Amino acid sequence: MSNPATVHLPPLPYPEDALAPHISADTVALHYGKHHAGYVANVNRLVAGTPREGAPLEDLIVTTTGGLFNNSAQVWNHTFYWRSMHPEGGGDPGGHLRAAIEDGFGSVDGFRKQFADAACGHFGSGWVWLVAGGDDLEVMATANADLPQRHDRTPLLTIDVWEHAYYLDYRNARPAYVDRWIDNLVNWDFAAANLAAL
Protein backbone atom coordinates (compact mmCIF):
# COMPACT_ATOMS: atom_id res chain seq x y z
CA MET A 1 0.00 0.00 0.00
CA SER A 2 1.43 3.38 -1.03
CA ASN A 3 1.97 6.24 1.38
CA PRO A 4 -0.49 9.13 1.27
CA ALA A 5 0.34 12.03 -1.02
CA THR A 6 2.62 14.66 0.47
CA VAL A 7 0.49 17.52 -0.81
CA HIS A 8 -3.05 17.84 -2.08
CA LEU A 9 -4.74 20.32 -4.38
CA PRO A 10 -6.85 22.43 -2.01
CA PRO A 11 -10.32 23.41 -3.19
CA LEU A 12 -10.78 26.89 -4.61
CA PRO A 13 -12.37 29.24 -2.07
CA TYR A 14 -15.10 30.14 -4.63
CA PRO A 15 -16.56 28.73 -7.88
CA GLU A 16 -14.39 28.92 -11.02
CA ASP A 17 -16.63 31.62 -12.52
CA ALA A 18 -16.83 33.77 -9.37
CA LEU A 19 -14.04 36.19 -10.35
CA ALA A 20 -15.60 37.08 -13.70
CA PRO A 21 -15.60 39.45 -15.49
CA HIS A 22 -12.19 40.42 -14.09
CA ILE A 23 -10.73 36.91 -14.38
CA SER A 24 -12.70 34.49 -16.53
CA ALA A 25 -13.79 30.98 -15.63
CA ASP A 26 -11.62 29.72 -18.51
CA THR A 27 -8.52 31.34 -16.99
CA VAL A 28 -9.30 29.95 -13.53
CA ALA A 29 -9.96 26.48 -14.94
CA LEU A 30 -6.63 26.48 -16.78
CA HIS A 31 -4.65 28.13 -13.99
CA TYR A 32 -6.06 26.03 -11.16
CA GLY A 33 -6.90 22.79 -12.95
CA LYS A 34 -3.72 22.52 -15.04
CA HIS A 35 -0.94 24.70 -13.61
CA HIS A 36 -1.68 24.48 -9.87
CA ALA A 37 -2.72 20.82 -10.12
CA GLY A 38 0.40 20.10 -12.15
CA TYR A 39 2.66 21.48 -9.42
CA VAL A 40 0.90 19.30 -6.86
CA ALA A 41 1.40 16.21 -9.02
CA ASN A 42 5.06 17.08 -9.55
CA VAL A 43 5.76 17.46 -5.83
CA ASN A 44 4.21 14.11 -5.06
CA ARG A 45 6.17 12.46 -7.89
CA LEU A 46 9.45 14.03 -6.76
CA VAL A 47 9.13 12.98 -3.11
CA ALA A 48 7.69 9.50 -3.68
CA GLY A 49 9.90 6.91 -2.05
CA THR A 50 12.26 9.50 -0.52
CA PRO A 51 12.69 10.63 3.11
CA ARG A 52 10.73 13.78 2.21
CA GLU A 53 7.57 11.84 1.39
CA GLY A 54 4.86 13.02 3.78
CA ALA A 55 6.76 16.19 4.75
CA PRO A 56 4.61 19.28 5.28
CA LEU A 57 4.56 21.68 2.35
CA GLU A 58 5.80 24.48 4.63
CA ASP A 59 8.95 22.45 5.32
CA LEU A 60 9.56 21.75 1.65
CA ILE A 61 9.42 25.42 0.65
CA VAL A 62 12.16 26.41 3.09
CA THR A 63 14.44 23.35 3.00
CA THR A 64 14.58 22.22 -0.63
CA THR A 65 16.18 23.40 -3.87
CA GLY A 66 15.85 22.79 -7.58
CA GLY A 67 12.76 21.17 -9.02
CA LEU A 68 11.32 20.14 -5.68
CA PHE A 69 11.56 23.69 -4.37
CA ASN A 70 10.12 25.17 -7.57
CA ASN A 71 7.11 22.89 -7.54
CA SER A 72 6.42 22.97 -3.79
CA ALA A 73 6.75 26.75 -3.70
CA GLN A 74 4.38 27.06 -6.63
CA VAL A 75 1.82 24.91 -4.82
CA TRP A 76 2.10 27.22 -1.80
CA ASN A 77 2.13 30.42 -3.87
CA HIS A 78 -0.95 29.48 -5.87
CA THR A 79 -2.93 28.44 -2.80
CA PHE A 80 -2.08 31.82 -1.25
CA TYR A 81 -2.95 33.65 -4.49
CA TRP A 82 -6.46 32.18 -4.69
CA ARG A 83 -7.07 33.33 -1.13
CA SER A 84 -5.65 36.79 -1.90
CA MET A 85 -8.70 37.35 -4.12
CA HIS A 86 -12.40 37.52 -3.39
CA PRO A 87 -15.35 37.93 -5.77
CA GLU A 88 -16.44 40.98 -3.74
CA GLY A 89 -12.91 42.26 -3.21
CA GLY A 90 -11.33 45.58 -4.00
CA GLY A 91 -12.08 48.87 -2.34
CA ASP A 92 -9.97 50.03 0.58
CA PRO A 93 -8.69 48.16 3.62
CA GLY A 94 -9.89 49.09 7.06
CA GLY A 95 -8.82 48.94 10.67
CA HIS A 96 -5.30 47.99 11.69
CA LEU A 97 -4.35 46.97 8.14
CA ARG A 98 -5.27 50.38 6.77
CA ALA A 99 -3.26 52.09 9.50
CA ALA A 100 -0.25 49.87 8.78
CA ILE A 101 -0.49 50.56 5.04
CA GLU A 102 -0.72 54.30 5.67
CA ASP A 103 2.32 54.10 7.95
CA GLY A 104 4.28 52.10 5.39
CA PHE A 105 3.27 53.81 2.16
CA GLY A 106 1.90 57.21 3.17
CA SER A 107 -1.62 56.35 1.99
CA VAL A 108 -3.67 53.52 0.49
CA ASP A 109 -3.14 55.17 -2.91
CA GLY A 110 0.59 55.18 -2.24
CA PHE A 111 0.46 51.44 -1.65
CA ARG A 112 -1.63 50.86 -4.76
CA LYS A 113 0.86 52.76 -6.92
CA GLN A 114 3.90 50.97 -5.50
CA PHE A 115 2.21 47.56 -5.77
CA ALA A 116 1.00 48.18 -9.33
CA ASP A 117 4.37 49.57 -10.41
CA ALA A 118 6.12 46.49 -9.02
CA ALA A 119 3.65 44.11 -10.67
CA CYS A 120 3.71 45.85 -14.05
CA GLY A 121 7.46 46.40 -14.02
CA HIS A 122 8.47 42.91 -12.92
CA PHE A 123 10.48 41.33 -15.72
CA GLY A 124 9.45 37.83 -16.62
CA SER A 125 7.52 35.43 -14.42
CA GLY A 126 6.96 35.81 -10.72
CA TRP A 127 4.93 37.27 -7.91
CA VAL A 128 4.40 40.61 -6.19
CA TRP A 129 3.59 40.59 -2.50
CA LEU A 130 2.47 42.80 0.35
CA VAL A 131 4.71 41.56 3.15
CA ALA A 132 5.47 42.30 6.77
CA GLY A 133 9.14 42.69 7.57
CA GLY A 134 9.67 43.40 11.23
CA ASP A 135 7.36 46.26 12.16
CA ASP A 136 6.98 47.55 8.59
CA LEU A 137 4.94 46.62 5.55
CA GLU A 138 6.70 46.41 2.20
CA VAL A 139 5.98 45.58 -1.43
CA MET A 140 8.22 42.73 -2.56
CA ALA A 141 8.69 41.12 -5.98
CA THR A 142 10.00 37.59 -6.35
CA ALA A 143 11.05 35.79 -9.52
CA ASN A 144 9.69 32.47 -10.72
CA ALA A 145 8.69 30.37 -7.67
CA ASP A 146 10.51 32.37 -5.01
CA LEU A 147 8.50 33.51 -2.00
CA PRO A 148 8.90 35.88 0.97
CA GLN A 149 9.53 33.22 3.60
CA ARG A 150 12.94 32.58 2.05
CA HIS A 151 13.80 36.24 2.71
CA ASP A 152 12.61 36.56 6.32
CA ARG A 153 9.36 38.25 5.31
CA THR A 154 5.77 37.26 6.07
CA PRO A 155 3.35 37.41 3.11
CA LEU A 156 0.02 39.16 3.59
CA LEU A 157 -1.29 38.92 0.00
CA THR A 158 0.03 38.29 -3.51
CA ILE A 159 -0.68 38.78 -7.18
CA ASP A 160 0.56 36.25 -9.73
CA VAL A 161 2.31 37.90 -12.68
CA TRP A 162 3.13 34.71 -14.59
CA GLU A 163 1.49 35.07 -18.00
CA HIS A 164 -0.80 32.09 -17.44
CA ALA A 165 -2.54 34.13 -14.71
CA TYR A 166 -3.90 36.68 -17.18
CA TYR A 167 -3.02 35.97 -20.81
CA LEU A 168 -6.33 34.43 -21.89
CA ASP A 169 -8.20 37.49 -20.63
CA TYR A 170 -5.75 40.35 -21.14
CA ARG A 171 -3.21 39.03 -23.68
CA ASN A 172 -0.01 41.00 -23.10
CA ALA A 173 -1.73 43.87 -21.24
CA ARG A 174 -0.43 43.06 -17.77
CA PRO A 175 -1.21 46.60 -16.47
CA ALA A 176 -4.92 46.12 -17.23
CA TYR A 177 -4.94 42.83 -15.28
CA VAL A 178 -3.09 44.42 -12.35
CA ASP A 179 -5.44 47.42 -12.19
CA ARG A 180 -8.55 45.24 -12.35
CA TRP A 181 -7.10 42.93 -9.70
CA ILE A 182 -6.39 45.74 -7.26
CA ASP A 183 -9.66 47.56 -7.90
CA ASN A 184 -12.00 44.58 -7.87
CA LEU A 185 -10.48 41.39 -6.46
CA VAL A 186 -7.91 42.07 -3.73
CA ASN A 187 -9.02 40.35 -0.52
CA TRP A 188 -8.28 42.84 2.24
CA ASP A 189 -9.88 40.60 4.88
CA PHE A 190 -7.36 37.86 4.09
CA ALA A 191 -4.46 40.30 4.31
CA ALA A 192 -5.82 41.72 7.58
CA ALA A 193 -6.12 38.23 9.08
CA ASN A 194 -2.53 37.44 8.08
CA LEU A 195 -1.34 40.69 9.68
CA ALA A 196 -3.34 40.03 12.84
CA ALA A 197 -1.77 36.57 13.15
CA LEU A 198 1.76 38.01 13.48
Side-chain angles (χ1 to χ4, degrees), residues 31 35 39 69-70 74 77-78 118-129 140-147 158-167 174 177:
H31 196 172
H35 290 275
Y39 297 127
F69 165 73
N70 288 332
Q74 285 291 75
N77 291 349
H78 280 86
C120 295
H122 183 76
F123 183 78
S125 300
W127 304 82
V128 172
W129 312 80
M140 177 181 192
T142 60
N144 301 318
D146 197 11
L147 66 175
T158 194
I159 184 171
D160 187 343
V161 293
W162 286 64
E163 283 191 339
H164 62 243
Y166 61 87
Y167 202 83
R174 186 191 289 179
Y177 157 67

Short mmCIF file of all heavy atoms in Angstrom, two decimals, residues 31 35 39 69-70 74 77-78 118-129 140-147 158-167 174 177:
data_model
loop_
_atom_site.label_atom_id
_atom_site.label_comp_id
_atom_site.label_asym_id
_atom_site.label_seq_id
_atom_site.Cartn_x
_atom_site.Cartn_y
_atom_site.Cartn_z
N HIS A 31 -5.66 27.78 -14.99
CA HIS A 31 -4.65 28.13 -13.99
C HIS A 31 -4.70 27.16 -12.81
O HIS A 31 -3.67 26.64 -12.37
CB HIS A 31 -4.93 29.56 -13.52
CG HIS A 31 -3.81 30.22 -12.80
ND1 HIS A 31 -3.83 31.55 -12.44
CD2 HIS A 31 -2.62 29.75 -12.33
CE1 HIS A 31 -2.72 31.86 -11.80
NE2 HIS A 31 -1.97 30.78 -11.72
N HIS A 35 -2.20 24.24 -14.18
CA HIS A 35 -0.94 24.70 -13.61
C HIS A 35 -0.81 24.32 -12.13
O HIS A 35 0.15 23.64 -11.74
CB HIS A 35 -0.79 26.21 -13.80
CG HIS A 35 -0.58 26.61 -15.22
ND1 HIS A 35 0.65 26.62 -15.81
CD2 HIS A 35 -1.46 26.99 -16.18
CE1 HIS A 35 0.54 27.00 -17.07
NE2 HIS A 35 -0.74 27.22 -17.32
N TYR A 39 1.63 21.33 -10.45
CA TYR A 39 2.66 21.48 -9.42
C TYR A 39 2.46 20.48 -8.29
O TYR A 39 3.42 19.90 -7.78
CB TYR A 39 2.67 22.91 -8.87
CG TYR A 39 3.02 23.97 -9.88
CD1 TYR A 39 2.18 25.07 -10.06
CD2 TYR A 39 4.17 23.89 -10.65
CE1 TYR A 39 2.49 26.06 -10.99
CE2 TYR A 39 4.49 24.88 -11.58
CZ TYR A 39 3.64 25.97 -11.74
OH TYR A 39 3.95 26.94 -12.66
N PHE A 69 11.91 22.37 -4.88
CA PHE A 69 11.56 23.69 -4.37
C PHE A 69 10.62 24.41 -5.33
O PHE A 69 9.59 24.96 -4.91
CB PHE A 69 12.80 24.58 -4.15
CG PHE A 69 12.42 26.02 -3.97
CD1 PHE A 69 11.81 26.44 -2.80
CD2 PHE A 69 12.60 26.94 -4.99
CE1 PHE A 69 11.41 27.77 -2.65
CE2 PHE A 69 12.20 28.25 -4.85
CZ PHE A 69 11.61 28.67 -3.67
N ASN A 70 10.95 24.44 -6.61
CA ASN A 70 10.12 25.17 -7.57
C ASN A 70 8.67 24.70 -7.53
O ASN A 70 7.73 25.52 -7.52
CB ASN A 70 10.68 25.02 -8.99
CG ASN A 70 11.95 25.81 -9.19
OD1 ASN A 70 12.18 26.82 -8.54
ND2 ASN A 70 12.80 25.33 -10.08
N GLN A 74 5.50 26.67 -5.77
CA GLN A 74 4.38 27.06 -6.63
C GLN A 74 3.05 26.52 -6.11
O GLN A 74 2.02 27.18 -6.27
CB GLN A 74 4.63 26.60 -8.07
CG GLN A 74 5.66 27.45 -8.79
CD GLN A 74 5.17 28.85 -9.07
OE1 GLN A 74 5.09 29.70 -8.18
NE2 GLN A 74 4.82 29.12 -10.31
N ASN A 77 2.42 29.10 -3.31
CA ASN A 77 2.13 30.42 -3.87
C ASN A 77 0.72 30.48 -4.47
O ASN A 77 -0.01 31.45 -4.26
CB ASN A 77 3.15 30.79 -4.95
CG ASN A 77 4.53 31.05 -4.40
OD1 ASN A 77 4.72 31.16 -3.20
ND2 ASN A 77 5.51 31.14 -5.30
N HIS A 78 0.36 29.46 -5.23
CA HIS A 78 -0.95 29.48 -5.87
C HIS A 78 -2.08 29.37 -4.85
O HIS A 78 -3.10 30.05 -4.97
CB HIS A 78 -1.05 28.36 -6.92
CG HIS A 78 -0.40 28.73 -8.21
ND1 HIS A 78 0.94 28.54 -8.44
CD2 HIS A 78 -0.90 29.31 -9.32
CE1 HIS A 78 1.23 28.97 -9.66
NE2 HIS A 78 0.14 29.44 -10.22
N ALA A 118 5.30 47.70 -9.17
CA ALA A 118 6.12 46.49 -9.02
C ALA A 118 5.57 45.36 -9.87
O ALA A 118 6.34 44.63 -10.53
CB ALA A 118 6.18 46.07 -7.55
N ALA A 119 4.26 45.19 -9.90
CA ALA A 119 3.65 44.11 -10.67
C ALA A 119 3.79 44.33 -12.17
O ALA A 119 4.07 43.39 -12.92
CB ALA A 119 2.17 43.96 -10.29
N CYS A 120 3.61 45.56 -12.62
CA CYS A 120 3.71 45.85 -14.05
C CYS A 120 5.16 45.88 -14.51
O CYS A 120 5.46 45.54 -15.66
CB CYS A 120 3.04 47.19 -14.36
SG CYS A 120 1.27 47.19 -14.08
N GLY A 121 6.07 46.28 -13.64
CA GLY A 121 7.46 46.40 -14.02
C GLY A 121 8.29 45.16 -13.81
O GLY A 121 9.46 45.13 -14.21
N HIS A 122 7.71 44.14 -13.19
CA HIS A 122 8.47 42.91 -12.92
C HIS A 122 8.80 42.22 -14.23
O HIS A 122 7.91 41.92 -15.03
CB HIS A 122 7.68 41.98 -12.02
CG HIS A 122 8.42 40.74 -11.63
ND1 HIS A 122 9.41 40.72 -10.69
CD2 HIS A 122 8.33 39.47 -12.11
CE1 HIS A 122 9.90 39.50 -10.57
NE2 HIS A 122 9.26 38.73 -11.43
N PHE A 123 10.07 41.97 -14.47
CA PHE A 123 10.48 41.33 -15.72
C PHE A 123 10.31 39.82 -15.62
O PHE A 123 10.78 39.19 -14.68
CB PHE A 123 11.95 41.66 -16.02
CG PHE A 123 12.41 41.10 -17.33
CD1 PHE A 123 12.08 41.72 -18.52
CD2 PHE A 123 13.15 39.93 -17.38
CE1 PHE A 123 12.48 41.20 -19.73
CE2 PHE A 123 13.56 39.39 -18.58
CZ PHE A 123 13.22 40.03 -19.77
N GLY A 124 9.62 39.27 -16.58
CA GLY A 124 9.45 37.83 -16.62
C GLY A 124 8.39 37.34 -15.65
O GLY A 124 7.49 38.06 -15.26
N SER A 125 8.51 36.09 -15.26
CA SER A 125 7.52 35.43 -14.42
C SER A 125 7.81 35.66 -12.95
O SER A 125 8.96 35.80 -12.54
CB SER A 125 7.51 33.93 -14.71
OG SER A 125 7.19 33.70 -16.05
N GLY A 126 6.76 35.68 -12.15
CA GLY A 126 6.96 35.81 -10.72
C GLY A 126 5.73 36.28 -9.99
O GLY A 126 4.59 36.12 -10.46
N TRP A 127 5.97 36.91 -8.86
CA TRP A 127 4.93 37.27 -7.91
C TRP A 127 5.26 38.64 -7.31
O TRP A 127 6.43 38.98 -7.15
CB TRP A 127 4.87 36.25 -6.77
CG TRP A 127 4.67 34.85 -7.26
CD1 TRP A 127 5.63 33.99 -7.72
CD2 TRP A 127 3.43 34.16 -7.38
NE1 TRP A 127 5.05 32.81 -8.10
CE2 TRP A 127 3.70 32.89 -7.91
CE3 TRP A 127 2.10 34.50 -7.07
CZ2 TRP A 127 2.71 31.95 -8.15
CZ3 TRP A 127 1.11 33.57 -7.31
CH2 TRP A 127 1.41 32.31 -7.84
N VAL A 128 4.22 39.38 -6.96
CA VAL A 128 4.40 40.61 -6.19
C VAL A 128 3.56 40.48 -4.94
O VAL A 128 2.40 40.03 -4.99
CB VAL A 128 4.04 41.86 -7.01
CG1 VAL A 128 4.04 43.11 -6.15
CG2 VAL A 128 5.04 42.02 -8.16
N TRP A 129 4.15 40.86 -3.82
CA TRP A 129 3.59 40.59 -2.50
C TRP A 129 3.47 41.87 -1.67
O TRP A 129 4.31 42.76 -1.77
CB TRP A 129 4.50 39.65 -1.72
CG TRP A 129 4.96 38.44 -2.44
CD1 TRP A 129 5.97 38.35 -3.36
CD2 TRP A 129 4.44 37.11 -2.29
NE1 TRP A 129 6.10 37.06 -3.79
CE2 TRP A 129 5.19 36.27 -3.16
CE3 TRP A 129 3.43 36.55 -1.50
CZ2 TRP A 129 4.95 34.91 -3.27
CZ3 TRP A 129 3.19 35.19 -1.61
CH2 TRP A 129 3.94 34.39 -2.49
N MET A 140 7.08 43.58 -2.21
CA MET A 140 8.22 42.73 -2.56
C MET A 140 7.90 41.96 -3.83
O MET A 140 6.81 41.40 -3.96
CB MET A 140 8.49 41.76 -1.41
CG MET A 140 9.58 40.77 -1.65
SD MET A 140 9.74 39.66 -0.21
CE MET A 140 11.30 38.89 -0.62
N ALA A 141 8.83 41.94 -4.77
CA ALA A 141 8.69 41.12 -5.98
C ALA A 141 9.63 39.93 -5.88
O ALA A 141 10.76 40.08 -5.41
CB ALA A 141 9.01 41.95 -7.21
N THR A 142 9.16 38.78 -6.30
CA THR A 142 10.00 37.59 -6.35
C THR A 142 9.90 36.97 -7.74
O THR A 142 8.86 37.04 -8.39
CB THR A 142 9.60 36.54 -5.30
OG1 THR A 142 8.24 36.12 -5.52
CG2 THR A 142 9.77 37.08 -3.89
N ALA A 143 11.00 36.39 -8.19
CA ALA A 143 11.05 35.79 -9.52
C ALA A 143 10.66 34.32 -9.46
O ALA A 143 10.90 33.63 -8.48
CB ALA A 143 12.46 35.92 -10.10
N ASN A 144 10.03 33.88 -10.54
CA ASN A 144 9.69 32.47 -10.72
C ASN A 144 8.90 31.93 -9.53
O ASN A 144 7.82 32.42 -9.25
CB ASN A 144 10.96 31.68 -11.02
CG ASN A 144 11.65 32.19 -12.28
OD1 ASN A 144 10.98 32.49 -13.27
ND2 ASN A 144 12.96 32.31 -12.24
N ALA A 145 9.43 30.95 -8.78
CA ALA A 145 8.69 30.37 -7.67
C ALA A 145 9.07 30.94 -6.32
O ALA A 145 8.51 30.55 -5.30
CB ALA A 145 8.90 28.85 -7.64
N ASP A 146 10.01 31.87 -6.29
CA ASP A 146 10.51 32.37 -5.01
C ASP A 146 9.39 33.01 -4.20
O ASP A 146 8.40 33.49 -4.76
CB ASP A 146 11.62 33.39 -5.28
CG ASP A 146 12.47 33.67 -4.06
OD1 ASP A 146 12.37 32.93 -3.06
OD2 ASP A 146 13.26 34.64 -4.11
N LEU A 147 9.56 33.03 -2.89
CA LEU A 147 8.50 33.51 -2.00
C LEU A 147 9.11 34.18 -0.77
O LEU A 147 10.27 33.97 -0.45
CB LEU A 147 7.54 32.38 -1.62
CG LEU A 147 7.99 31.20 -0.77
CD1 LEU A 147 6.79 30.32 -0.47
CD2 LEU A 147 9.06 30.35 -1.40
N THR A 158 -0.81 38.35 -2.31
CA THR A 158 0.03 38.29 -3.51
C THR A 158 -0.79 38.36 -4.78
O THR A 158 -1.96 37.97 -4.80
CB THR A 158 0.90 37.01 -3.53
OG1 THR A 158 1.91 37.15 -4.53
CG2 THR A 158 0.07 35.76 -3.80
N ILE A 159 -0.14 38.86 -5.81
CA ILE A 159 -0.68 38.78 -7.18
C ILE A 159 0.31 37.97 -8.01
O ILE A 159 1.53 38.13 -7.90
CB ILE A 159 -0.92 40.18 -7.79
CG1 ILE A 159 -1.58 40.06 -9.18
CG2 ILE A 159 0.37 40.99 -7.86
CD1 ILE A 159 -2.04 41.40 -9.76
N ASP A 160 -0.22 37.09 -8.83
CA ASP A 160 0.56 36.25 -9.73
C ASP A 160 0.78 37.03 -11.02
O ASP A 160 -0.18 37.46 -11.66
CB ASP A 160 -0.24 34.96 -10.00
CG ASP A 160 0.52 33.92 -10.79
OD1 ASP A 160 1.55 34.25 -11.41
OD2 ASP A 160 0.07 32.76 -10.79
N VAL A 161 2.04 37.22 -11.41
CA VAL A 161 2.31 37.90 -12.68
C VAL A 161 2.94 36.96 -13.72
O VAL A 161 3.51 37.42 -14.70
CB VAL A 161 3.15 39.19 -12.49
CG1 VAL A 161 2.34 40.23 -11.73
CG2 VAL A 161 4.47 38.93 -11.79
N TRP A 162 2.84 35.64 -13.50
CA TRP A 162 3.13 34.71 -14.59
C TRP A 162 2.07 34.92 -15.67
O TRP A 162 0.90 35.18 -15.36
CB TRP A 162 3.06 33.27 -14.09
CG TRP A 162 4.19 32.81 -13.23
CD1 TRP A 162 4.54 33.26 -12.00
CD2 TRP A 162 5.11 31.76 -13.55
NE1 TRP A 162 5.61 32.57 -11.52
CE2 TRP A 162 5.99 31.63 -12.44
CE3 TRP A 162 5.26 30.90 -14.64
CZ2 TRP A 162 7.02 30.69 -12.42
CZ3 TRP A 162 6.28 29.96 -14.61
CH2 TRP A 162 7.15 29.86 -13.51
N GLU A 163 2.45 34.79 -16.93
CA GLU A 163 1.49 35.07 -18.00
C GLU A 163 0.25 34.19 -17.94
O GLU A 163 -0.84 34.63 -18.32
CB GLU A 163 2.15 34.93 -19.38
CG GLU A 163 3.01 36.12 -19.73
CD GLU A 163 3.45 36.12 -21.18
OE1 GLU A 163 3.43 35.04 -21.83
OE2 GLU A 163 3.82 37.20 -21.67
N HIS A 164 0.38 32.95 -17.45
CA HIS A 164 -0.80 32.09 -17.44
C HIS A 164 -1.89 32.62 -16.50
O HIS A 164 -3.03 32.18 -16.58
CB HIS A 164 -0.44 30.63 -17.11
CG HIS A 164 0.16 30.40 -15.77
ND1 HIS A 164 1.43 29.92 -15.58
CD2 HIS A 164 -0.34 30.57 -14.51
CE1 HIS A 164 1.69 29.80 -14.29
NE2 HIS A 164 0.62 30.19 -13.62
N ALA A 165 -1.55 33.56 -15.62
CA ALA A 165 -2.54 34.13 -14.71
C ALA A 165 -3.50 35.09 -15.42
O ALA A 165 -4.60 35.33 -14.92
CB ALA A 165 -1.85 34.86 -13.56
N TYR A 166 -3.08 35.63 -16.57
CA TYR A 166 -3.90 36.68 -17.18
C TYR A 166 -3.97 36.65 -18.70
O TYR A 166 -4.79 37.35 -19.30
CB TYR A 166 -3.39 38.05 -16.74
CG TYR A 166 -1.96 38.37 -17.14
CD1 TYR A 166 -1.64 38.92 -18.37
CD2 TYR A 166 -0.90 38.09 -16.26
CE1 TYR A 166 -0.33 39.20 -18.73
CE2 TYR A 166 0.42 38.37 -16.61
CZ TYR A 166 0.70 38.92 -17.84
OH TYR A 166 2.00 39.19 -18.18
N TYR A 167 -3.16 35.83 -19.37
CA TYR A 167 -3.02 35.97 -20.81
C TYR A 167 -4.30 35.68 -21.59
O TYR A 167 -4.59 36.36 -22.58
CB TYR A 167 -1.87 35.09 -21.33
CG TYR A 167 -1.33 35.59 -22.65
CD1 TYR A 167 -0.39 36.61 -22.68
CD2 TYR A 167 -1.78 35.07 -23.86
CE1 TYR A 167 0.09 37.11 -23.89
CE2 TYR A 167 -1.31 35.55 -25.07
CZ TYR A 167 -0.37 36.57 -25.08
OH TYR A 167 0.09 37.06 -26.28
N ARG A 174 -0.53 43.31 -19.20
CA ARG A 174 -0.43 43.06 -17.77
C ARG A 174 -0.95 44.23 -16.93
O ARG A 174 -1.62 44.00 -15.91
CB ARG A 174 1.01 42.73 -17.38
CG ARG A 174 1.12 42.32 -15.91
CD ARG A 174 2.56 42.23 -15.44
NE ARG A 174 3.28 41.10 -15.99
CZ ARG A 174 4.56 40.84 -15.73
NH1 ARG A 174 5.24 41.61 -14.91
NH2 ARG A 174 5.15 39.80 -16.27
N TYR A 177 -4.68 43.89 -16.27
CA TYR A 177 -4.94 42.83 -15.28
C TYR A 177 -4.63 43.32 -13.87
O TYR A 177 -5.43 43.14 -12.95
CB TYR A 177 -4.08 41.62 -15.64
CG TYR A 177 -3.78 40.64 -14.54
CD1 TYR A 177 -4.77 39.86 -13.95
CD2 TYR A 177 -2.46 40.46 -14.10
CE1 TYR A 177 -4.46 38.94 -12.94
CE2 TYR A 177 -2.14 39.54 -13.11
CZ TYR A 177 -3.15 38.79 -12.53
OH TYR A 177 -2.84 37.88 -11.54
#
